[in-house]
């Protein structure tokens, strides 16, 4: 579908004063080139000056049949005929003819002139490009300046070269010394890009790079851009990609094309009816057209790889309002677009588009990053020609010039910005329906070309174009051949067709021709009715944008949600995007023109102009950016009231507009014609939700109250989330309470709603109401409420990275610390808050050694993540050690080190009973550290640390460095060191230390630790140690009692023979005899 809008894309028009009737017209480099019908002279007119004055004129060497201009290198290339021969020539430095100099140099491709060009003179050069076949079409690359020549079955690519000046001088000297050798010297072997330093002319040359053989297609028109090659036949389009590579392995092997060529020759006498076919990307290789590469470069600059990109074939359609003869393709074009994030020296454009057209339909494809059909243009009448630009598509019919919108900017924007089509930024889609703008009427239009904002039109009333004349001549030749052949057949049968009117009428019809038609084409009139050459200037993009905006307001007055209003604003958006892309990279958009001869006044004027270019460009950029922000606001308004399917687009457009939330609310007030609450659009509500969810900007009381009113009327179910948002800090708590109470009376009570109402009561300093509301639910239900709405406890800081406590959180710190800790644990376990964020909240509350440690202890009980558990176990062990030493730590400064200001929520017994990571205290620890040895809180801390060391989860090796700060002088300090040594398997040294410091605990230690595999230590280590110590201190009753207990265990676990081996040989065996007797009796009973 094509939308039609009555916008004016054209600003003015002027007629170029041409003396003779133009036959060929092209433009480029700020100039318009005109060749009279059947003439041999080129006239160049300035498009940049009022009245299009003549720049220069120069003669060609033959009758020009085709003319192309290259902005890169500023050269002209022509296909000329002379004496029934066809030539291909390039004209460089043509601007020097403005000085009316008659000196012109003519040379062959690759052979530089040895005259004035090398000694400082300036002259136009004509480069003769020899070809083995007759050229039928040419194309110039707008990115590199390369030249593509099409012959009947081949394409030849010529690379543009700029020979180095030092090389030119050397060649000149060699030429003067050895004139007989100069015919074989080729200056095209240099790749230097520098131009002459002492001359004002550009020395260009071409190198034949590669030849493509296409036996299955006859080129009629060509296009070349950044390595892409487009070939247009009568009803076929083939797009290829040539990539230079230094790896010869990547070069495709030439395919045998003789078979396909022979097939074409064999089928030449048959009428083939093609069918519609579209092949994109790699599928285009199956088009049936073989392409063979033949490299002909004189230097080893690597190889080329060939890739099929696009193939499109059309069948003649009898129902499109055109005859079969008129159904053929035209206006093939490859159009590049660069983006601002490309480097200045990038040769490949970010986007390449391919356009071609039938008389009734035009097709625009995007080639880079996947081949895709962007738009199909349905013309209202037969189109004779079309030109694609960054902003618009210009098409001509026989009687009108019309513009269509394009989607090139939408593709380039998505290549340039990865955040397009997100909640941050948006752009109208590439699939947006195209629109047609107001047409300009003319008479007898024949051709169109475009340079910048100048559209050049050639009109010739009731006359044939050269293409039509050539086509009709061929058709009349075929009809004559058919008539002669059939007349001979009838005469051979003895029938004279001239005597039979029916046969004579029958023979007048071209029914044997491959071209079937029901009506004869129009014959050219004997004399033309006049001609004109127009230059139509388009309006600036910003002017057309303002007209589109004004046009859209007409739709908005009748229906703000009209699709046409949104579509027109989207068109205006893409228009601004394309203009900004042009301003970002002026070097890529402005053709590179070599310096040409100017007068001193003109040169001074140009210098003054260049000084102001940057200032003007910056002003234009600011104006376009301001217009783009305005357009984004308008699109945001459209989508804010739009359908549910597209309402999400209001968010990125409002963000790109730079409007504050207050301004957005003002733009979305209920319209007088829609006073109901539902008048707030879904897109506006979507924007407010995301603003309150993602932004950390604190709103004023007026704006916050407005938002509460909006949601209380439109979506009351979101009122809790709205009131909990940090942005609503300044909202009136009394008004919010009224809205929440009304929600409770209509929708029923819920835990998050109750907590939100309690928060508002707290902000009003109504503690009785706060207490009454919080007492409605149990602590567990309140925890579930916080899980459902975490912002009641936590609010995000700047950039959404930091997390801070709310007023309710600060109140819970003193009133219900257990609820706060339980809620934080639940939030962490439900991925609502990270561990570091929870730590930050408790530190900000000033409870880094109180509630923070309680949170860690509770988190260990709830968590199932091993990494989190190990981290928290280490933190807790460090905190416990700090509390016991009551000194700041030199390491792990992020952990609390001050003694707790309040009692912990969980005692050591609670943790031992409820948490598997806290182990039961070893019995011998109670002997070492009785309850009276420390204070109550210190005792609880000591038991927690001992329990961690007794538990199965803590890695003892990780806390050994921390224990070095604990002295062993106290029994509780000694107990911790002894625990670590025992956990590390150092039983023998531990028993020695225990006998030295607290022998009364040795039996309890041995009974607990020396079990199973360590049972042998009773008689291998403990018994000898006790015997030695008892012998030295006979009066020590503790050692004697320990020795007796040890002997009981040894007698129980060993045999009599083993027991006898353990008896000392110092004469004290009598002391061991009762135990030996017990051992023997036990064995007898066994």
């Amino acid at each position: 579908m094509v939308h039609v809008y009555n916008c004016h894309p054209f600003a003015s028009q002027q007629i170029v004063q041409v003396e003779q009737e133009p036959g060929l017209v092209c433009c480029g480099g700020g100039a318009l080139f005109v060749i009279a019908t059947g003439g041999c002279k080129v006239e160049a007119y300035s498009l940049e000056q009022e009245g299009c004055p003549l720049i220069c004129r120069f003669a060609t060497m033959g009758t020009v049949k085709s003319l192309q201009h290259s902005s890169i290198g500023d050269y002209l290339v022509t296909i000329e005929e002379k004496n029934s021969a066809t030539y291909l020539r390039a004209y460089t430095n043509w601007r020097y003819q403005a000085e009316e100099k008659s000196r012109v140099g003519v040379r062959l491709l690759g052979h530089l002139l040895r005259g004035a060009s090398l000694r400082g003179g300036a002259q136009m050069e004509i480069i003769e490009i020899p070809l083995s076949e007759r050229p039928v079409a040419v194309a110039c690359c707008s990115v590199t300046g390369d030249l593509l020549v099409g012959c009947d079955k081949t394409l030849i690519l010529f690379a543009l070269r700029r020979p180095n000046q030092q090389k030119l001088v050397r060649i000149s000297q060699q030429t003067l010394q050895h004139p007989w050798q100069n015919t074989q010297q080729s200056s095209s072997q240099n790749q230097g890009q520098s131009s002459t330093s002492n001359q004002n002319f550009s020395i260009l040359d071409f190198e034949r790079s590669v030849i493509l053989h296409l036996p299955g297609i006859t080129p009629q028109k060509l296009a070349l851009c950044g390595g892409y090659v487009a070939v247009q036949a009568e009803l076929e389009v083939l797009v290829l990609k040539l990539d230079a590579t230094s790896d010869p392995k990547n070069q495709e092997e030439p395919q045998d094309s003789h078979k396909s060529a022979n097939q074409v020759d064999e089928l030449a006498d048959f009428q083939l009816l093609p069918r519609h076919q579209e092949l994109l990307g790699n599928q285009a290789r199956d088009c049936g057209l073989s392409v063979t590469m033949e490299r002909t470069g004189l230097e080893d600059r690597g190889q080329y790889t060939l890739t099929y990109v696009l193939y499109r074939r059309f069948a003649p359609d009898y129902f499109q309002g055109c005859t079969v003869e008129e159904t053929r393709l035209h206006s093939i074009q490859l159009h590049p677009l660069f983006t601002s994030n490309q480097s200045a020296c990038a040769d490949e454009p970010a986007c390449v588009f391919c356009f071609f057209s039938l008389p009734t339909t035009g097709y625009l494809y995007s080639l880079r990053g996947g081949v895709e059909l962007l738009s199909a243009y349905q013309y209202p009448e037969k189109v004779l020609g079309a030109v694609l630009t960054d902003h618009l598509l210009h098409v001509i019919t026989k009687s009108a010039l019309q513009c269509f919108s394009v989607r090139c900017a939408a593709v380039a924007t998505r290549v340039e910005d990865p955040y397009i089509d997100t909640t941050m930024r948006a752009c109208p889609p590439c699939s947006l329906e195209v629109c047609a703008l107001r047409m300009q009427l003319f008479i007898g239009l024949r051709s169109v070309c475009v340079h910048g904002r100048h559209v050049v039109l050639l009109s010739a009333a009731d006359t044939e174009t050269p293409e039509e004349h050539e086509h009709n001549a061929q058709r009349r030749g075929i009809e004559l051949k058919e008539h002669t052949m059939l007349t001979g057949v009838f005469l051979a049968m003895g029938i004279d067709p001239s005597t039979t009117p029916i046969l004579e009428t029958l023979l007048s019809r071209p029914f044997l021709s491959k071209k079937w038609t029901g009506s004869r084409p129009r014959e050219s009139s004997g004399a033309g009715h006049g001609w004109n050459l127009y230059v139509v200037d388009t309006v600036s993009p910003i002017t057309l944008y303002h007209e589109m905006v004004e046009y859209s307001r007409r739709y908005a007055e009748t229906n703000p949600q009209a699709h046409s209003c949104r579509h027109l604003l989207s068109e205006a958006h893409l228009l601004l995007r394309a203009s900004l892309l042009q301003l970002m990279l002026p070097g890529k958009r402005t053709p590179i023109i070599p310096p040409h001869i100017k007068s001193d006044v003109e040169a001074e004027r140009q210098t003054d102009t260049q000084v102001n270019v940057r200032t003007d460009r910056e002003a234009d950029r600011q104006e376009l950016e301001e217009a783009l922000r305005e357009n984004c606001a308008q699109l945001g308004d459209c989508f804010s009231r739009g359908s549910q399917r597209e309402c999400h687009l209001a968010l990125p457009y409002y963000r790109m507009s730079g409007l504050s939330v207050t301004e957005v609310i003002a733009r979305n007030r209920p319209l007088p014609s829609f006073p109901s609450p539902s008048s707030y659009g879904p897109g506006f509500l979507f924007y407010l939700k995301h603003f309150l969810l993602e932004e950390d900007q604190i709103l004023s009381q007026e704006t916050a109250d407005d938002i509460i009113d909006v949601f209380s009327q439109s979506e009351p179910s979101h009122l809790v989330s709205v009131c909990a948002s940090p942005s609503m800090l300044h909202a009136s708590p009394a008004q919010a309470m009224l809205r929440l109470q009304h929600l409770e009376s209509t929708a029923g009570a819920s835990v998050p709603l109750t907590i939100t109402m309690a928060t508002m009561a707290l902000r009003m300093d109504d503690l009785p109401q706060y207490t009454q509301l919080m007492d409605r639910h149990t602590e567990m239900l309140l925890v579930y409420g916080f899980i459902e709405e975490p912002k009641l406890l936590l609010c995000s800081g700047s950039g959404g990275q930091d997390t801070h406590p709310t007023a309710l959180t600060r109140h819970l710190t003193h009133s219900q610390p257990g609820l706060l800790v339980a809620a934080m644990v639940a939030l962490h376990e439900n991925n609502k808050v990270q561990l570091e964020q929870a730590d930050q909240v408790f530190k900000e509350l000033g409870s880094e050694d109180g509630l923070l440690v309680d949170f860690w202890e509770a988190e260990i009980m709830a968590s199932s993540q091993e990494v989190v558990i190990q981290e928290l176990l280490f933190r807790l062990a460090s905190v416990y050690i700090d509390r016991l030493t009551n000194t700041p730590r030199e390491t792990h400064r992020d952990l609390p080190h001050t003694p707790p200001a309040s009692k912990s929520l969980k005692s050591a017994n609670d943790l031992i009973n409820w948490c598997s990571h806290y182990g039961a205290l070893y019995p011998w620890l109670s002997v070492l550290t009785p309850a009276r040895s420390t204070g109550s809180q210190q005792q609880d801390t000591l038991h927690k640390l001992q329990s961690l060391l007794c538990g199965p989860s803590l890695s003892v090796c990780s806390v050994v460095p921390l224990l070095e700060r604990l002295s062993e002088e106290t029994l509780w300090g000694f107990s911790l060191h002894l625990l670590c040594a025992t956990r590390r398997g150092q039983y023998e040294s531990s028993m020695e230390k225990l006998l030295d410091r607290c022998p009364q605990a040795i039996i309890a230690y041995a009974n607990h630790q020396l079990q199973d595999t360590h049972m042998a230590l009773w008689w291998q280590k403990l018994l000898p140690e006790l015997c030695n110590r008892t012998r030295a201190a006979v009066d020590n009753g503790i050692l004697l009692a320990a020795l007796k207990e040890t002997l009981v265990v040894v007698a129980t676990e060993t045999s009599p023979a083993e027991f006898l081996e353990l008896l000392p040989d110092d004469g004290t065996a009598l002391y061991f005899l009762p135990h030996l007797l017990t051992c023997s009796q036990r064995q007898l009973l066994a």
Side-chain angles (χ1 to χ4, degrees), residues 233-237 271-278 311-329 356 358-361 363 515-516:
E234 192 169 70
L235 289 173
E236 292 176 290
V237 170
Q271 171 64 31
L272 299 179
L273 296 178
R275 60 183 178 86
H276 287 289
Q277 189 175 23
E278 181 187 44
Y311 176 75
R312 187 75 189 261
R313 181 174 62 199
F314 299 90
D317 200 335
Y318 297 91
F319 306 101
Q320 292 295 328
C322 299
T323 63
V324 178
E325 288 182 331
E326 294 173 329
T327 305
R328 57 172 125 175
L329 292 165
F356 50 86
L358 288 169
T360 57
T361 310
Y363 300 92
K515 300 297 182 181
W516 300 343

Side-chain angles (χ1 to χ4, degrees), residues 1060-1082:
L1060 285 174
E1061 293 180 359
L1062 297 174
L1063 296 179
D1065 55 357
D1066 57 353
T1068 59
L1070 181 62
Y1071 182 80
F1072 298 95
L1073 290 179
H1075 299 285
L1076 178 60
L1077 179 62
T1078 303
C1079 179
S1080 301
Q1081 291 175 347
R1082 180 186 59 79

